[in-house]
Amino acid sequence: MPSIDNPKFEPADGALPWRESDLVMTYDQEQARYAFPIGILNWHEIVNHEANGEAVLITFCPLCGTGMAFDPEVDGRDLTFSVSGLLYNSDLLMYDHQTESLWSQIEGRAISGPLAGTTLEPIAIRHELWHKWRQRVGDDGRVLSTDTGHRRNYRQSPYGDYDHSERLYFPVSSTSRKYHPKTWVLGWTHDGVSKAWPFPELAKHGDGVLEDRIGGKKVSIHFDADVPSAELRDESVRLIPATRAFWFAWYTFHPETQVFEAD
């Protein structure tokens, strides 16, 4: 899986081959609005992105369903990353070019090498449908180009029906049958407490904003059943860098997790 180290972007109105219902991972930086189609991330998993002089690490693990972004600065220098080809609890293991330390994507933590124990600061992103993102950002949107320097069919996932199958390709350390393993959840950890908001439970809760607490902090969950996706926000409505993931992936990294259940 070759990372994209010199990403090209194009205006959203000229971007092909994306359809209205395609999923994109999106990042807002001041007035700039960027979209990273999952169709591309399925094949590359990492984009070393820089915007207005600020580096951002865009990552996606198709096996765990986790799209996450990080500030790649460590000890005053910006690291760049590639896909190691190794997995940790079925999750993407990245390595940085500068020290060749291995990093767990879901944990955002180096697990071996000179930087072992170091963590990356997460950055808030969204998961949106292509047409909804375009409606939200208007002419300000820029989308990652399919001109990646590699020949791939970005309209076809290399993982087939994996998103819906109960089967996992690789073993994990902790499992739970509370939900189908590929059930989508939104997860976050605060002050040592982890919590998951399964999308079926959010759907039962119905339309509107869910008010909740985690680790003594008030949060609100904004659920979009069309994607499906959810956003976690604080009391000032600031977007929190929570994790959209398959249930099995969230649980194996957070077996002690609390779980929201609708009444």
Side-chain angles (χ1 to χ4, degrees):
M1 292 286 181
S3 60
I4 299 177
D5 300 329
N6 296 292
K8 298 178 182 179
F9 293 87
E10 56 189 355
D13 59 4
L16 295 174
W18 312 117
R19 297 180 294 217
E20 287 194 353
S21 60
D22 284 336
L23 183 65
V24 292
M25 198 169 119
T26 67
Y27 167 62
D28 295 353
Q29 185 197 45
E30 297 178 355
Q31 300 305 310
R33 305 288 185 264
Y34 296 96
F36 301 84
I38 297 301
I40 297 178
L41 295 177
N42 273 330
W43 292 92
H44 296 282
E45 301 189 1
I46 290 176
V47 180
N48 291 291
H49 176 48
E50 184 175 315
N52 300 323
E54 293 186 20
V56 180
L57 174 63
I58 303 294
T59 72
F60 181 72
C61 178
L63 295 177
C64 291
T66 41
M68 305 174 70
F70 301 94
D71 180 346
E73 182 178 325
V74 174
D75 294 334
R77 63 173 173 172
D78 290 336
L79 304 182
T80 54
F81 290 79
S82 284
V83 181
S84 71
L86 304 173
L87 296 172
Y88 175 55
N89 271 328
S90 197
D91 183 43
L92 163 66
L93 272 182
M94 314 176 287
Y95 74 92
D96 69 82
H97 300 143
Q98 288 73 22
T99 74
E100 296 190 347
S101 299
L102 284 174
W103 299 73
S104 163
Q105 181 224 25
I106 288 180
E107 294 183 330
R109 177 178 64 90
I111 64 170
S112 70
L115 295 178
T118 304
T119 57
L120 298 174
E121 184 71 24
I123 291 176
I125 51 92
R126 293 181 170 98
H127 291 84
E128 301 180 82
L129 296 181
W130 171 248
H131 79 281
K132 287 193 174 183
W133 174 73
R134 291 196 60 189
Q135 291 172 359
R136 181 173 69 84
V137 305
D139 295 334
D140 294 329
R142 305 284 292 178
V143 60
L144 180 66
S145 172
T146 56
D147 181 10
T148 62
H150 302 276
R151 294 178 63 86
R152 301 287 191 277
N153 182 357
Y154 294 125
R155 290 270 359 128
Q156 181 177 340
S157 169
Y159 299 95
D161 66 349
Y162 176 82
D163 286 10
H164 309 288
S165 169
E166 289 198 7
R167 184 165 59 98
L168 304 183
Y169 287 169
F170 302 96
V172 294
S173 60
S174 300
T175 58
S176 166
R177 302 299 297 177
K178 186 176 180 66
Y179 298 99
H180 186 292
K182 306 298 175 52
T183 295
W184 288 110
V185 305
L186 187 71
W188 192 51
T189 299
H190 176 68
D191 200 21
V193 178
S194 295
K195 190 163 188 175
W197 292 269
F199 289 4
E201 303 292 350
L202 293 176
K204 291 178 188 176
H205 177 265
D207 296 333
V209 177
L210 170 67
E211 304 290 342
D212 206 347
R213 300 185 70 90
I214 174 174
K217 183 178 179 66
K218 291 182 179 179
V219 295
S220 59
I221 298 87
H222 303 246
F223 179 57
D224 185 343
D226 291 339
V227 178
S229 191
E231 296 176 1
L232 190 67
R233 295 182 178 272
D234 63 15
E235 289 184 275
S236 63
V237 201
R238 180 180 62 90
L239 190 64
I240 294 172
T243 303
R244 178 182 185 262
F246 293 137
W247 164 246
F248 89 85
W250 179 258
Y251 184 85
T252 199
F253 281 91
H254 306 88
E256 77 296 341
T257 190
Q258 299 177 3
V259 179
F260 166 76
E261 296 184 56
D263 295 333

